[in-house]
Amino acid sequence: MSLLDPPGTRDEATVELEPAEPARLEPASQGLYVSLLGRFGVQVDGVSLSLRGDRRRALLATLLLNTGRVVSTDDLIARVWDTPGQAARGTLQVHIARARALFEQHLGAPLIQGADGGYRIDLDHHRSDLLLFRALAGRADLAAARGETDTHADLLSHALRLWRGPVLADVAAPLLHTQDVPRLNEELLRVAERGFDAALARGEHERVAASIGPIAADHPEREPLIRVQMIALYRAGRQSEALRVYARARSVLAERLGANPGRELQETFHGILRGDLDSRLGLRSRAEGVVWPGAALRSAAPPVALRSTTPEPGTTDPGTTGSGTAVPRQRAHPDTKPCAARRGPEPATGPATCLIPAELPAAPRTLVGRADTLAEIDRLVDPCSPVPGSVLVRGPAGAGSSALAVRWAHSVATHFPDGQLYVNLRGPDGGPLHPADVLGRLVRSLSAGTANPRNPDSADPDRGFTEPDEAAARVRSLMAGRRVLLVLDNAATAHQVRPLLPGTPGSSAVVASRHWLADLLIRDGLRAVPVDALPQAHAVALLRSLLGSGRCPPHALRRIAELAGGLPLALRMAVAWLDAHPEHPAAELVRLVERADPAHGVSPTARMAAVLRAGPLGSGTAAGKYRPGSEPRS
């Protein structure tokens, strides 16, 4: 357990946070002064004391970090020695005696006091940067309670200037850094978020943007802090930097926590991307009864599936701030239909509503060995950018290019708040769909729910299209000013894809195909992401993750992976056969696949499909036979 009290708790030994004389809220210039909020140091009359030895420094840092509290001998030993021996207690007393002698020499007092079962140090708050930090934060809370917002902001700013970097980074004490320092870091970060919030409320955007950078860089997974940094950069006119901060935070959260950014951080990203962040915050703060601007930074609102271009009664237009200042934002194309916020039924004469499409099919539950490919798609598209790119994900039949495209699309869906469209470009008969058929569907998806009760023809948004070019133009018009992700699966030719690509920045297309559509790469600027078969180690790992450990012997798994050619679709077929026939061992599946018709050009996926159709004994009419066109889609 940490020796530090949770922030905000008090006992008889805690430093008093009631108002003190203003002169006492400054670091001591004479006598003793201790530095803990950064590199460790002890000064007497402005001269640093030489604190030699890692163990003595760890001992003093532990006592000073817990000023006003008794630290037991056992806790001190645990923090001074990684693996204390039998002589640790006696050696600790020697270190205590030498530290007392050092303070006696320079201060005229030993400073370290013996107590029941341990030791303690008592200091006035102006003699320690940590105690002074807490005193200033306490005074700031009192000022906020009295409504003195300027005093509140000034005191927090004064407190934050005492935080000089990573706490006690130069003290070698592992247990101190795993148990005590994290609690203190949490306290510091909470005060920092309040302080920067208060500074933003006073319009000090440039100062916050400059000051928050080092702290946010040390804590990139701290979403409230990152959010404040993005707002400060945006208001300082540095939109691209704010978007890069979000991209870094998103990457860190995915790598360290396996999670996407939270709702509030995503909403901030969307507001910056569209250029209407301040109007969003202003509208939200008024709706929630917030009386000072800084509070809007901490407000929460549910994700909006339907947006509004008509302001609520009593609010300003979404394109302006509360002061009436125009806020730059993306302009929607005239053909783009307005979307009303989810406020309940609209009157018949009210604005039309627009259902945001979310058409992505379910993502595969298990994906093995594709982390680098997903990261490459992320890099090439850059979904956090105001102008994301488009990519071609290409792989042979069964390699899983479709699964990769869909999995990636799910992971970035929140970055395309105007919708995610999915189209399988392969028709029911296995042939490619004509672009005209697809364009009509896209028009319907992008126009869903926009029927005007006073215009019955608007219920059929693609009525009257006689030329594919006209339908393509309508799709581009509907996507203009929106941020839409389009997933085009099983593409056969560049001619099939080109009319479907977004025509304006902000939207992105991910094309999955078995073919190198070189014309798209050359003429349309798509970037290519190749998808190959899995190496045997990853193929075996996929089988084991789907079958469970111990289901099949290792040699059988390796042989199945080899017969499947490392193709994820063929591997999943093998799992399906084993699940459907639990009474048969994996060796039986190996035997059936090995004797399947090895006709020239037959892929491992087709051979596995033939065995899967034939049944457990391979006696069906389709046993070992390959039928052209029988390969399932990847």
Side-chain angles (χ1 to χ4, degrees):
M1 177 179 293
S2 173
L3 299 178
L4 297 178
D5 285 335
T9 63
R10 294 190 180 192
D11 59 22
E12 70 281 0
T14 305
V15 176
E16 185 60 48
L17 297 182
E18 294 301 325
E21 302 85 359
R24 306 291 281 180
L25 289 179
E26 296 290 338
S29 57
Q30 299 294 321
L32 179 69
Y33 184 72
V34 176
S35 299
L36 298 168
L37 303 182
R39 295 182 65 84
F40 179 44
V42 178
Q43 295 181 339
V44 176
D45 295 333
V47 178
S48 297
L49 296 185
S50 178
L51 304 176
R52 298 178 181 176
D54 288 345
R55 290 175 179 172
R56 190 173 306 172
R57 289 169 61 83
L59 166 68
L60 290 174
T62 301
L63 290 171
L64 290 167
L65 199 61
N66 293 277
T67 298
R69 297 185 60 203
V70 175
V71 182
S72 71
T73 301
D74 290 339
D75 284 332
L76 283 173
I77 290 174
R79 282 155 178 78
V80 173
W81 284 274
D82 293 343
T83 54
Q86 295 181 350
R89 190 171 297 269
T91 307
L92 177 68
Q93 293 176 353
V94 172
H95 283 301
I96 292 287
R98 290 178 178 175
R100 280 174 165 172
L102 178 67
F103 289 125
E104 183 81 41
Q105 176 186 350
H106 291 278
L107 295 174
L111 192 63
I112 302 175
Q113 305 296 325
D116 186 19
Y119 301 89
R120 68 183 290 164
I121 290 178
D122 292 309
L123 294 176
D124 293 331
H125 63 252
H126 67 294
R127 298 201 177 278
S128 164
D129 57 358
L130 172 58
L131 301 182
L132 183 57
F133 178 92
R134 288 171 171 164
L136 288 165
R139 286 283 299 274
D141 289 342
L142 294 175
R146 293 193 294 264
E148 300 170 358
T149 55
D150 283 339
T151 301
H152 170 257
D154 289 339
L155 288 168
L156 290 178
S157 176
H158 191 177
L160 289 175
R161 284 197 292 271
L162 297 171
W163 188 7
R164 297 168 290 106
V167 174
L168 301 178
D170 57 336
V171 175
L175 192 61
L176 194 72
H177 286 284
T178 57
Q179 295 199 12
D180 301 326
V181 171
R183 298 281 294 278
L184 178 55
N185 280 335
E186 178 66 22
E187 180 182 353
L188 295 171
L189 287 168
R190 289 184 182 277
V191 173
E193 289 159 4
R194 288 161 43 205
F196 291 132
D197 193 352
L200 281 184
R202 295 203 299 184
E204 299 174 0
H205 316 312
E206 290 283 2
R207 184 180 72 79
V208 172
S211 302
I212 199 173
I215 301 176
D218 288 338
H219 303 277
E221 76 287 348
R222 183 84 178 188
E223 294 192 47
L225 190 69
I226 298 302
R227 185 167 183 257
V228 173
Q229 183 185 22
M230 291 172 61
I231 294 171
L233 290 169
Y234 169 78
R235 290 179 177 173
R238 296 152 65 180
Q239 180 188 27
S240 60
E241 289 184 55
L243 295 175
R244 284 198 295 271
V245 167
Y246 177 83
R248 184 179 71 246
R250 175 175 170 269
S251 177
V252 169
L253 288 169
E255 179 180 349
R256 298 183 184 178
L257 306 177
N260 289 322
R263 180 186 60 203
E264 291 192 1
L265 196 59
Q266 290 178 11
E267 289 179 350
T268 302
F269 164 71
H270 293 150
I272 292 174
L273 200 61
R274 294 171 178 275
D276 62 355
L277 176 64
D278 284 327
S279 61
R280 289 185 178 208
L281 293 177
L283 286 171
R284 184 185 300 171
S285 63
R286 283 192 293 275
E288 296 179 0
V290 177
V291 296
W292 64 292
L297 302 182
R298 298 187 301 274
S299 59
V304 181
L306 303 170
R307 287 177 300 282
S308 176
T309 54
T310 304
E312 296 280 6
T315 65
T316 59
D317 185 89
T320 63
T321 62
S323 60
T325 305
V327 177
R329 58 183 298 175
Q330 282 189 323
R331 291 176 296 174
H333 191 279
D335 281 359
T336 302
K337 303 295 188 296
C339 301
R342 186 161 45 197
R343 298 188 296 265
E346 290 283 357
T349 58
T353 60
C354 165
L355 176 66
I356 297 175
E359 299 179 350
L360 296 177
R365 297 176 61 184
T366 304
L367 207 63
V368 174
R370 298 303 192 191
D372 290 344
T373 308
L374 289 170
E376 180 66 3
I377 299 174
D378 215 44
R379 184 185 71 83
L380 294 177
V381 177
D382 191 5
C384 301
S385 169
V387 187
S390 295
V391 296
L392 168 67
V393 182
R394 186 269 172 188
S401 56
S402 297
L404 271 172
V406 171
R407 166 64 72 87
W408 182 84
H410 274 283
S411 72
V412 299
T414 55
H415 303 304
F416 296 90
D418 295 307
Q420 307 89 45
L421 303 174
Y422 174 87
V423 180
N424 183 0
L425 297 178
R426 181 183 296 163
D429 60 354
L433 291 179
H434 193 277
D437 298 329
V438 180
L439 288 166
R441 173 185 162 180
L442 292 180
V443 170
R444 290 190 293 273
S445 294
L446 292 168
S447 307
T450 59
N452 188 331
R454 293 176 292 182
N455 180 10
D457 289 343
S458 66
D460 186 5
D462 60 340
R463 174 181 291 185
F465 289 148
T466 58
E467 297 292 337
D469 289 347
E470 183 183 1
R474 176 59 62 88
V475 169
R476 291 193 294 270
S477 295
L478 289 169
M479 293 181 70
R482 297 188 185 184
R483 193 169 174 87
V484 175
L485 178 62
L486 179 61
V487 178
L488 301 174
D489 197 4
N490 291 308
T493 65
H495 172 75
Q496 185 189 29
V497 173
R498 182 169 292 112
L500 312 178
L501 296 176
T504 54
S507 294
S508 175
V510 178
V511 182
S513 177
R514 298 180 182 180
H515 313 287
W516 285 114
L517 307 181
D519 208 31
L520 290 180
L521 308 180
I522 297 169
R523 292 182 52 189
D524 300 282
L526 272 70
R527 303 294 299 277
V529 179
V531 180
D532 297 318
L534 294 172
Q536 187 180 65
H538 285 154
V540 170
L542 177 59
L543 288 172
R544 188 175 289 114
S545 68
L546 295 173
L547 291 170
S549 59
R551 174 81 178 273
C552 297
H555 69 276
L557 291 178
R558 289 192 296 269
R559 183 56 180 154
I560 292 173
E562 181 181 355
L563 291 170
L567 297 174
L569 185 57
L571 293 168
R572 291 176 185 275
M573 290 179 181
V575 172
W577 190 96
L578 292 170
D579 285 344
H581 311 105
E583 70 279 7
H584 292 280
E588 180 66 21
L589 173 62
V590 171
R591 183 185 66 80
L592 291 173
V593 176
E594 287 178 335
R595 74 171 193 156
D597 181 11
H600 178 69
V602 174
S603 69
T605 303
R607 295 178 66 187
M608 195 69 72
V611 171
L612 186 62
R613 289 194 306 271
L617 301 179
S619 58
T621 57
K625 302 296 183 181
Y626 168 67
R627 295 179 300 173
S630 65
E631 297 177 1
R633 72 181 182 90
S634 59

